[in-house]
Amino acid sequence: MKSHTEYLFFQTPKRREFVNITSDCERILHESGIQEGMMLVSAMHITAGVWVNDNESGILEDAMEFLERLAPKADYRHHRTGEDNGDAHLKNLLVHHQVIIPVTGGRLDLGPWQTIFYAEFDGQRRKRVVVKVMGE
Amino acid sequence: MKSHTEYLFFQTPKRREFVNITSDCERILHESGIQEGMMLVSAMHITAGVWVNDNESGILEDAMEFLERLAPKADYRHHRTGEDNGDAHLKNLLVHHQVIIPVTGGRLDLGPWQTIFYAEFDGQRRKRVVVKVMGE
Amino acid sequence: MKSHTEYLFFQTPKRREFVNITSDCERILHESGIQEGMMLVSAMHITAGVWVNDNESGILEDAMEFLERLAPKADYRHHRTGEDNGDAHLKNLLVHHQVIIPVTGGRLDLGPWQTIFYAEFDGQRRKRVVVKVMGE
């Protein structure tokens, strides 16, 4: 069994943003040399997520608006700590912070429209994602 | 380390539907010969999900109604592309497209009521799920 | 490839509760002797979840209130079976029942604030979580 771990760093210009990381994941898989296995793509922060969906700008705007509707900026208990990002923790709850991509025949075994997005809900600061491939 | 990959195909009669795929997953595990490891069950489309819950018809109807309440059919930006399934992308966001089932002693290590469902939100067309088992 | 499986048992005093299980997961990793791999932490019940977020009491209260707002106690179809926990199944849908923790250099590869919580939505009864580590 082989494993290979890399970290992706982000400092998004906007507070909320989807960043397409599919080609980063493909590069990491290539560097790992793994042909069969699984790749974990997991945000290391609690105000971000990872989502697999279509790279269509309308969907990404719809999704961000949807998350804002369900988990709006508001006055949360968390703000008693001095933070103002309570909504970002709830958006993380909805989107989740990780996905697993199957690796088959040396390739990310994604459907034709599946794109891997880092989902930032409290950006403009340095954030990190761990990408770990395990297999043979 | 061994790995084994199969694809399940769906073309649901209804646009939205939960399909119990537990016995498919058990069959694939048996074919893999893997005794200890993990099985990834992951939708390859961006308008479907995979959910583990109870095989009780009331729950499945409650869940579909709940998803329709949170992510209703509406006029989404995505529809500027000619599609009409914007809601299905948001339902995917809530349900997520994958689960991992632990494999212990040659069996899917599920709780007594845990059932694996393919969750279709834009059916009546051909869709695919990848099932990948990794272990020994 | 090595694998190691343990079960955590819960009987929470309250019906809804977040329980920090990070140190349990660290202990299980230590017992496994695995240095590189992945740990699956997965609820075996359909009215519970696993969430990775910050161990800050305000966030945990915000999250429980948020889940109650989106998936409130109400009269669900599931209650025709005699159960009264329909809301807990929908909260499970939102939070999800599992996470994967990367294992790097013999440690859980978590970000500085990431804490692993068992999320109980129908407690005061015996529940179980499977923790499975796979790697080398």
Side-chain angles (χ1 to χ4, degrees):
Chain A
M1 198 210 82
K2 290 207 288 196
S3 72
H4 179 83
T5 308
E6 289 196 27
Y7 302 89
L8 300 174
F9 294 87
F10 300 89
Q11 183 151 354
T12 59
K14 284 186 278 183
R15 187 146 183 184
R16 292 178 214 157
E17 203 168 328
F18 286 108
V19 183
N20 182 346
I21 57 171
T22 313
S23 64
D24 294 292
C25 294
E26 285 169 343
R27 177 186 54 73
I28 293 170
L29 175 61
H30 185 73
E31 285 166 14
S32 77
I34 288 171
Q35 296 290 310
E36 291 291 324
M38 296 182 191
M39 173 185 278
L40 174 67
V41 184
S42 189
M44 300 185 79
H45 294 259
I46 54 208
T47 52
V50 179
W51 188 39
V52 168
N53 212 278
D54 193 357
N55 190 16
E56 195 278 300
S57 63
I59 289 177
L60 300 178
E61 287 172 60
D62 289 337
M64 215 48 111
E65 187 177 286
F66 175 63
L67 291 168
E68 185 61 24
R69 178 165 62 78
L70 295 188
K73 291 294 278 183
D75 186 24
Y76 292 106
R77 289 184 190 84
H78 180 46
H79 298 175
R80 296 178 309 207
T81 64
E83 289 281 357
D84 68 347
N85 60 4
D87 69 299
H89 292 271
L90 303 179
K91 289 173 170 106
N92 156 288
L93 186 151
L94 294 176
V95 169
H96 295 263
H97 72 292
Q98 59 185 197
V99 299
I100 298 264
I101 312 295
V103 174
T104 309
R107 300 186 56 177
L108 298 178
D109 200 352
L110 293 167
W113 299 281
Q114 284 186 314
T115 306
I116 310 165
F117 292 99
Y118 172 67
E120 179 61 84
F121 304 123
D122 187 27
Q124 301 168 325
R125 54 175 88 179
R126 195 163 163 83
K127 299 283 199 79
R128 200 155 56 120
V129 165
V130 53
V131 181
K132 189 165 198 110
V133 205
M134 222 178 116
E136 270 189 351
Chain B
M1 198 210 82
K2 290 207 287 194
S3 73
H4 178 83
T5 308
E6 288 196 27
Y7 302 89
L8 300 174
F9 293 88
F10 299 88
Q11 183 151 355
T12 59
K14 283 187 278 183
R15 186 146 183 183
R16 292 179 213 157
E17 203 168 329
F18 286 109
V19 183
N20 183 346
I21 57 172
T22 312
S23 64
D24 294 292
C25 294
E26 286 170 342
R27 176 186 55 73
I28 292 170
L29 176 60
H30 184 72
E31 285 167 14
S32 77
I34 288 171
Q35 296 290 310
E36 290 292 324
M38 295 182 191
M39 174 186 277
L40 173 66
V41 183
S42 189
M44 301 185 77
H45 294 260
I46 54 208
T47 51
V50 179
W51 190 38
V52 168
N53 211 279
D54 193 358
N55 190 16
E56 196 278 299
S57 62
I59 290 176
L60 300 179
E61 287 172 59
D62 289 338
M64 215 46 112
E65 187 177 286
F66 175 63
L67 292 168
E68 184 61 24
R69 177 165 63 78
L70 295 188
K73 292 292 280 182
D75 185 25
Y76 291 106
R77 289 184 191 85
H78 180 46
H79 298 174
R80 296 178 309 208
T81 63
E83 289 281 357
D84 68 348
N85 59 5
D87 69 300
H89 293 271
L90 302 180
K91 289 172 170 104
N92 156 287
L93 186 151
L94 293 176
V95 170
H96 295 264
H97 72 292
Q98 57 185 196
V99 299
I100 298 264
I101 312 295
V103 174
T104 309
R107 300 185 57 177
L108 299 178
D109 200 351
L110 293 168
W113 298 280
Q114 284 185 313
T115 305
I116 310 164
F117 292 100
Y118 171 67
E120 179 61 84
F121 305 123
D122 187 28
Q124 301 169 323
R125 55 176 87 180
R126 195 163 162 86
K127 298 286 199 77
R128 201 155 56 121
V129 164
V130 54
V131 181
K132 189 165 198 112
V133 204
M134 225 177 113
E136 270 188 351
Chain C
M1 197 209 84
K2 290 207 288 194
S3 72
H4 179 82
T5 308
E6 289 197 27
Y7 302 89
L8 300 173
F9 293 88
F10 300 89
Q11 182 151 357
T12 59
K14 283 187 278 183
R15 187 147 183 182
R16 290 178 215 158
E17 204 168 327
F18 286 108
V19 182
N20 182 347
I21 57 171
T22 313
S23 65
D24 295 291
C25 294
E26 285 169 344
R27 176 185 54 73
I28 292 171
L29 176 60
H30 185 72
E31 285 166 14
S32 78
I34 287 170
Q35 296 290 311
E36 290 292 323
M38 296 183 192
M39 174 186 278
L40 174 67
V41 183
S42 190
M44 300 185 78
H45 293 260
I46 54 208
T47 52
V50 179
W51 189 37
V52 168
N53 212 278
D54 193 357
N55 189 16
E56 195 278 298
S57 63
I59 290 177
L60 300 179
E61 288 172 59
D62 289 338
M64 214 48 111
E65 187 176 287
F66 175 63
L67 291 168
E68 185 61 24
R69 178 164 62 77
L70 295 187
K73 291 293 279 183
D75 186 24
Y76 291 107
R77 289 184 191 85
H78 179 46
H79 298 174
R80 296 179 309 208
T81 64
E83 290 281 358
D84 68 347
N85 59 4
D87 69 299
H89 292 272
L90 302 180
K91 289 174 170 102
N92 156 287
L93 185 152
L94 294 176
V95 170
H96 295 264
H97 71 292
Q98 59 185 196
V99 299
I100 298 262
I101 312 294
V103 174
T104 309
R107 299 186 56 178
L108 298 179
D109 200 350
L110 293 168
W113 298 281
Q114 284 186 313
T115 306
I116 311 166
F117 292 100
Y118 172 67
E120 179 62 83
F121 305 123
D122 186 28
Q124 300 168 324
R125 54 176 87 178
R126 195 163 162 85
K127 299 282 199 79
R128 201 156 54 122
V129 164
V130 53
V131 181
K132 190 167 197 111
V133 204
M134 223 177 114
E136 269 187 353

